[in-house]
Amino acid sequence: MPKKKFSWGRDIRCMQQLAFLNLWDRLRGSDKLPRISSLQADDLRRVAGQLIFCDVVRSGGDTRFLIRYQGSQIRRLFGADTVGRYLDDDVIPPIKRGALQMYQRVVERR
């Protein structure tokens, strides 16, 4: 799997997330995911509040993102705990289009 260097502004607008994503990419090597043993607790702790993990759910040609983990800063941004709900139902309208496009690009690059 070819390496992709992510950049500030174009791909991600949070410096901590960018640093974590580049670490993730480096740790995974040629694999799709890094080995869990290669991740350090401090690496996760530094960015946990700014992360959101989603399952990719495909149905009838549509792709949706089911929220499985939501960091504390994301929870404050959304104004609620949205774990178990779909991202497209809960993203704040002014950032919805851009956020969903970014998630869709990630899925398309896999």
Side-chain angles (χ1 to χ4, degrees):
M1 178 169 280
K3 292 287 187 172
K4 160 80 169 91
K5 183 69 175 174
F6 295 93
S7 67
W8 168 257
R10 185 191 70 209
D11 299 305
I12 296 178
R13 290 177 179 84
C14 174
M15 289 304 287
Q16 292 90 348
Q17 288 176 345
L18 178 63
F20 183 72
L21 183 57
N22 284 323
L23 170 68
W24 181 276
D25 196 48
R26 182 176 54 78
L27 292 176
R28 75 177 177 87
S30 61
D31 297 329
K32 286 186 177 186
L33 297 170
R35 295 190 180 280
I36 194 72
S37 61
S38 67
L39 292 170
Q40 301 296 314
D42 285 341
D43 296 328
L44 294 171
R45 196 175 356 261
R46 280 192 285 270
V47 295
Q50 299 145 345
L51 295 178
I52 187 167
F53 297 128
C54 298
D55 288 340
V56 177
V57 179
R58 292 185 174 100
S59 177
D62 292 330
T63 301
R64 297 183 77 195
F65 304 95
L66 182 64
I67 300 169
R68 291 296 185 184
Y69 170 84
Q70 175 186 49
S72 58
Q73 291 181 22
I74 304 295
R75 188 176 306 111
R76 278 194 298 276
L77 178 68
F78 286 1
D81 183 349
T82 59
V83 171
R85 293 166 54 185
Y86 286 96
L87 188 63
D88 57 306
D89 291 336
D90 290 304
V91 175
I92 300 165
I95 63 170
K96 185 174 188 170
R97 192 173 127 224
L100 293 176
Q101 286 175 345
M102 180 178 58
Y103 277 77
Q104 191 63 45
R105 279 195 314 268
V106 169
V107 169
E108 289 167 2
R109 289 179 182 173
R110 284 184 55 205

